[in-house]
């Protein structure tokens, strides 16, 4: 096997057994004599993939029946646009936890007032701001549950009396939370749950009813709900890989086991950072550290460049920080194995001993 240790931030690794299963089915899905990307999206075989995927999500997330699940092309960025186009009637609040929050807020500004309810800018987005200042007549609060670029994650959610919309693109199904407490959750699936090109969107039925209906049908959640995600040809391969990933999570033992493993994985690397006497400097404050994206710096940009190169020589891929912030980042989505984390932790320790 010539696979690398893949710590890419997105798209990111899928479990080998999932990739192999997809490969094996690619030319003949369930005895149909066709691959999944060759068959009609109206066929009963594909319809049952959609139905099963929704039902697996209801089970895994313990969602109550007052939810709708839809699959929408365009990834996370399309949801920045759609959530505000549908639900921003007067003004919307954004928790300013960094780059993705800005993109969400800036998309919303086309449709009304989009303001920051708080901000972590003062300390370069190294923490999750707790208090929210919500103005009257605010339609919703948007939060980014895991900040992929800065490596912070919400461990305590805001208490507000308006709907909360969560961008869970980089931590969806990585841990057990009460998914029912939010009016809307969406996630681009290419980080924890499959192939790029689609968002998984979960809405409370009552909240969905508050959406605007005077906007183009293809941009209305209502259309996707009424047509069961098949108003036009849906992203069939994305839905199919999502289905495979959900089966994989169940096979691992479910969300609680996945969470336990993710905790263990992150600890392996944070421990190396914390015991390095400042050689590795973690970016996020400890209480808000992400389990999905571990961000850190070395003493200089040159040192970081060298670290990333040496890592690559040792088959550790994707440990560079986001192009906007630099530094280093190790992403540990669900499919990253404990062995991969042990290996990179060992590499980090050896690198430190050589350079400190
Ligand atoms: C990756 C990411 C996005 C953007 O996803 P695209 O599918 O590339 O548009 C949005 N939010 C968060 C938190 C992300 O990590």
């Amino acid at each position: 096997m010539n696979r690398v240790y893949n710590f890419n931030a997105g798209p990111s690794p899928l479990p080998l057994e999932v990739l192999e299963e997809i490969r094996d089915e690619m030319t003949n899905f369930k005895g149909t004599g066709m691959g999944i990307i060759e068959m009609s999206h109206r066929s009963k075989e594909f319809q049952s993939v959609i139905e099963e995927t929704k039902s697996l999500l209801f089970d895994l997330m313990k969602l109550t029946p007052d939810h709708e699940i839809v699959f929408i092309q365009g990834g996370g960025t399309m949801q920045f646009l759609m959530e505000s186009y549908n639900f921003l009637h007067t003004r919307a609040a954004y928790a300013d936890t960094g780059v993705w929050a800005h993109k969400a807020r800036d998309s919303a500004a086309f449709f009304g007032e989009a303001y920051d309810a708080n901000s972590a800018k003062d300390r370069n987005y190294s923490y999750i701001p707790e208090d929210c200042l919500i103005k009257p007549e605010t339609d919703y609060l948007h939060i980014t549950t895991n900040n992929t670029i800065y490596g912070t994650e919400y461990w305590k959610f805001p208490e507000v009396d308006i709907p909360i919309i969560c961008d869970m693109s980089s931590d969806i199904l990585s841990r057990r939370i009460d998914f029912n407490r939010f009016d809307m959750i969406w996630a681009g699936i290419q980080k924890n749950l499959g192939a790029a090109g689609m968002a998984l969107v979960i809405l409370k039925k009552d909240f969905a009813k508050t959406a605007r209906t005077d906007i183009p049908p293809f941009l209305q959640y209502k259309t996707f709900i009424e047509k069961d995600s098949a108003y036009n040809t849906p992203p069939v391969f994305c839905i199919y890989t999502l289905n495979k990933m959900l089966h994989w999570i169940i096979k691992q033992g479910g969300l609680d086991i996945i969470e336990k493993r993710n905790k263990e994985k992150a600890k392996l690397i944070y421990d190396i950072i914390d015991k390095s006497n400042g050689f590795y400097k973690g970016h996020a404050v400890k209480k808000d550290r992400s389990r999905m994206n571990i961000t850190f710096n070395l003493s200089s940009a040159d040192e970081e460049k060298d670290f990333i190169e040496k890592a690559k020589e040792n088959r550790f891929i994707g440990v560079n920080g986001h192009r906007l912030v630099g530094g280093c980042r190790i992403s540990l989505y669900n499919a990253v194995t404990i062995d991969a984390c042990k290996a990179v932790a060992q590499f980090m320790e050896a690198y430190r001993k050589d350079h400190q």
Side-chain angles (χ1 to χ4, degrees):
M1 261 301 161
N2 53 357
R3 289 181 53 86
V4 295
Y5 292 112
N6 182 348
F7 300 102
N8 277 325
S12 15
L14 296 189
L16 183 59
E17 61 256 51
V18 168
L19 292 172
E20 286 175 343
E21 199 179 320
I22 291 173
R23 177 198 63 198
D24 292 346
E25 284 182 355
M26 198 45 120
T27 54
N28 189 352
F29 177 70
K30 297 204 167 152
T32 55
M34 295 175 270
I36 196 82
I37 59 173
E38 302 176 293
M39 66 178 59
S40 168
H41 58 289
R42 312 262 176 223
S43 63
K44 73 174 190 325
E45 287 83 6
F46 189 73
Q47 283 305 309
S48 72
V49 173
I50 291 205
E51 288 318 314
E52 190 195 56
T53 305
K54 293 199 319 188
S55 130
L56 294 172
L57 284 163
F58 268 98
D59 287 352
L60 271 171
M61 301 174 85
K62 299 193 172 137
L63 292 172
T64 54
D66 57 338
H67 288 84
E68 299 281 359
I69 298 180
V70 290
F71 307 116
I72 304 180
Q73 299 93 326
T77 302
M78 180 67 161
Q79 291 313 303
F80 293 148
L81 175 72
M82 271 181 82
E83 63 169 40
S84 47
Y85 204 11
N86 278 263
F87 295 116
L88 199 170
H89 303 280
T90 307
R91 59 178 60 92
Y94 287 79
D96 178 19
T97 52
V99 173
W100 295 117
H102 303 161
K103 294 203 174 181
R105 183 197 61 203
D106 295 349
S107 292
F110 286 93
F111 308 113
E113 182 189 342
Y115 67 92
D116 291 338
N118 54 34
S119 179
K121 193 175 177 188
D122 59 340
R123 279 180 278 145
N124 195 19
Y125 301 108
S126 58
Y127 68 102
I128 298 289
E130 270 179 26
D131 298 329
C132 294
L133 230 104
I134 305 291
K135 297 184 189 178
E137 286 183 79
T138 297
D139 295 301
Y140 60 83
L141 168 68
H142 172 107
I143 65 169
T144 315
T145 54
N146 180 70
N147 294 278
T148 327
I149 294 176
Y150 295 96
T152 59
E153 190 165 6
Y154 275 85
W155 298 105
K156 191 172 151 266
F157 295 104
E159 300 287 343
V160 291
D161 53 12
I162 56 170
I164 296 182
I165 298 180
C166 297
D167 170 1
M168 279 194 196
S169 294
S170 52
D171 65 341
I172 185 117
L173 296 191
S174 67
R175 55 175 167 160
R176 166 71 59 205
I177 54 177
D178 178 9
F179 295 101
N180 292 306
R181 60 176 287 167
F182 304 109
D183 280 78
M184 176 165 165
I185 293 169
W186 59 257
I189 64 163
Q190 70 270 31
K191 284 152 191 161
N192 258 322
L193 292 179
M198 181 181 101
L200 153 66
V201 183
I202 300 164
L203 301 115
K204 281 239 167 81
K205 285 183 176 156
D206 284 346
F207 183 60
K209 287 191 190 118
T210 68
R212 282 174 65 172
T213 50
D214 59 343
I215 60 178
F218 192 57
L219 294 175
Q220 292 188 34
Y221 291 111
K222 185 166 174 269
T223 305
F224 287 83
I225 293 169
E226 283 174 356
K227 303 291 181 189
D228 205 0
S229 302
Y231 173 70
N232 71 330
T233 315
V236 289
F237 186 69
C238 293
I239 296 171
Y240 166 79
T241 53
L242 169 60
N243 179 283
K244 293 287 180 214
M245 281 304 291
L246 298 176
H247 277 294
W248 178 83
I249 291 173
I250 292 164
K251 221 167 122 191
Q252 305 311 299
L255 217 45
D256 300 299
I257 302 288
I258 290 283
E259 171 164 20
K260 188 167 159 276
R261 199 188 285 174
N262 284 335
K263 214 166 160 175
E264 196 180 324
K265 282 156 53 182
K267 185 175 184 308
L268 283 166
I269 295 171
Y270 281 125
D271 278 354
I272 297 289
I273 291 174
D274 292 341
K275 290 175 189 156
S276 74
N277 282 321
F279 182 78
Y280 297 114
K281 291 176 262 302
H283 178 70
V285 301
K286 282 191 184 171
K287 74 174 182 50
D288 297 330
R289 277 175 166 175
S290 166
R291 279 188 204 140
M292 296 285 101
N293 310 98
I294 299 185
T295 49
F296 59 93
N297 289 87
L298 278 73
S299 62
S300 68
D302 280 346
E303 185 95 310
E304 286 159 357
K305 197 166 158 250
D306 183 69
F307 173 83
I308 293 161
E309 270 168 25
K310 294 279 172 359
K312 205 168 171 186
E313 285 166 21
N314 286 277
R315 304 169 61 76
F316 300 107
I317 301 301
V319 304
N320 50 295
H322 189 275
R323 66 198 146 77
L324 293 176
V325 299
C328 303
R329 171 174 57 175
I330 296 182
S331 298
L332 302 180
Y333 301 121
N334 287 348
V336 174
T337 61
I338 290 184
D339 283 348
C341 296
K342 283 185 181 154
V344 79
Q346 247 173 35
F347 166 77
M348 287 173 73
E349 192 55 6
Y351 186 90
R352 179 184 67 78
K353 284 187 179 141
D354 275 357
H355 293 80
Q356 197 168 34

